[in-house]
Amino acid sequence: MKSRAGISVYERLAADEAKLRSAASNNDPSSTRLHDADVTVSRLRPHFSQLGIVRMAEVTGLDRIGIPVWMAVRPNSRTLAVSQGKGITAPHARASAVMEAAEIAIAEDIPATSITATKAALQDSGHIVFDGRMLLMRGADEPGNDEPIEWLEGFDLLKQLPVYVPREVVSLDFTSQRQNWHYSQSTDGLASGNCLLEAVIHGLCERVERDATELWRFQRDAGVQARCVDPRVFSDSNIDWLAERIASAGFVLRLFDTSSDIALPVFMATISPATQHGSYLHFDLAAGYGCHLSPRVAAMRAITEAAQTRITNISGARDDFDPSEYAQRLAPDLAVYIHAQPGSDFHFEDPSPVARASLETYLNPLRQRGIRSVVAVPLGGEEYGFSVCRVLVNELESPAGIRKHRFGGRALNAMLRQ
């Protein structure tokens, strides 16, 4: 697959990896990035109007915990008008919000060149075509083999081959227009970065996180309790600071190792009131998730996202919030997260900065578990100085939505093991 500049995705990723390895540092409390958080925002700021971003706001003060949370507003969005961002520092949270808003803007109006063709014509020409059946909307069928549709060219990172993906699979449009589409709309695996490799790693981690989270839902209470981790086992000053902020504000942090059989660390964090009682509202329990090659980074992502969840609930800024949710009682099966007691008999090894910048270290765990295809679809953004992609992994589980097929093989196997 060649870009407009005649450079293949494989070549772009290799060049990005060389740059990221040079930029890799143990001093970054979040993840390996080509540019720091402030530089990332300053590079995008001149393009806010084209991306539809009209306002940024720090909303940390809406809660008493004090973990930084920012938001970016796109009032003409075809999805959600407010994007939230979190981080260990205000610059990290600001960059997180801006990048999320920008990547959604690109996915709503993808600048990448597409072709119009039938599935049969592409296959007859020897091209590989993405299997989109797991992403079909309820009540919808795949386009017919002889029905012309728009396609984008992606790249299978495991097979090292180009693959054509229906444009509709990676587009975002939550307006009424989507009722006429074949495939469900989701941000699952949508990611951005200062370069394409950053975006691919971010999107791949999100897919592994979502898969692990879906499988975690089948855990019995004893299994949840057994994997409750004392944050102090990381011996990390940033994680200690996050835990101290939460405790000082009168809340309880619980951290759970939700990693699946895929050897990429995934954590879930919950924040709940310190004073326990017999009846809780749904929003009394806030949860966050994180995945990364570094267990420390994955845990920080989960904790900061839980803090972001609280502020999102407090602000009511999400377009899809139903006011009745604020009066809902906490589901009885979620009480285990409030009452779980953390254990300290955990040990997590942190990878080297160079390993964190290597795509192969993220792909190997999937390959070793028999995952056969990981497709990255570059969507654009380079004209604004960043890259957006969508990562598709059919063999991993996806969050609940309006898809025809709720569970895949991994979830069905998890059910049978219970």
Side-chain angles (χ1 to χ4, degrees), residues 43 135 231 404:
R43 282 162 52 88
L135 300 176
K404 177 183 290 189

Side-chain angles (χ1 to χ4, degrees), residues 149-315:
I149 63 170
E150 288 188 87
W151 303 82
L152 289 170
E153 195 175 13
F155 188 76
D156 193 317
L157 301 171
L158 293 182
K159 297 176 181 175
Q160 296 287 294
L161 291 170
V163 55
Y164 278 92
V165 177
R167 184 186 182 98
E168 197 183 286
V169 166
V170 295
S171 298
L172 281 184
D173 191 339
F174 289 1
T175 67
S176 58
Q177 178 65 30
R178 70 173 173 172
Q179 296 173 1
N180 303 318
W181 289 19
H182 302 276
Y183 301 100
S184 61
Q185 303 299 288
S186 171
T187 60
D188 186 28
L190 177 67
S192 57
N194 292 293
C195 62
L196 181 60
L197 180 56
E198 278 188 26
V200 168
I201 289 175
H202 184 185
L204 181 57
C205 284
E206 182 168 272
R207 286 297 294 118
V208 172
E209 171 202 304
R210 300 289 172 81
D211 171 81
T213 302
E214 289 303 307
L215 301 182
W216 179 255
R217 298 183 194 281
F218 302 111
Q219 280 280 353
R220 298 185 185 276
D221 285 3
V224 172
Q225 171 63 62
R227 292 167 73 175
C228 185
V229 180
D230 189 330
R232 290 175 293 186
V233 303
F234 291 95
S235 299
D236 182 270
S237 60
N238 289 307
I239 292 177
D240 292 342
W241 180 82
L242 292 169
E244 188 277 331
R245 293 298 309 175
I246 293 167
S248 296
F251 295 99
V252 173
L253 168 67
R254 289 292 180 260
L255 189 64
F256 302 87
D257 178 5
T258 61
S259 306
S260 69
D261 56 333
I262 294 171
L264 282 174
V266 181
F267 288 90
M268 172 187 182
T270 64
I271 298 174
S272 59
T275 303
Q276 296 194 359
H277 48 84
S279 179
Y280 292 88
L281 293 175
H282 177 70
F283 283 156
D284 282 335
L285 183 70
Y289 307 86
C291 172
H292 195 269
L293 187 69
S294 162
R296 177 182 57 83
V297 173
M300 279 195 296
R301 286 181 173 178
I303 298 168
T304 54
E305 185 171 274
Q308 173 187 283
T309 298
R310 275 188 52 83
I311 288 183
T312 302
N313 296 340
I314 291 168
S315 68

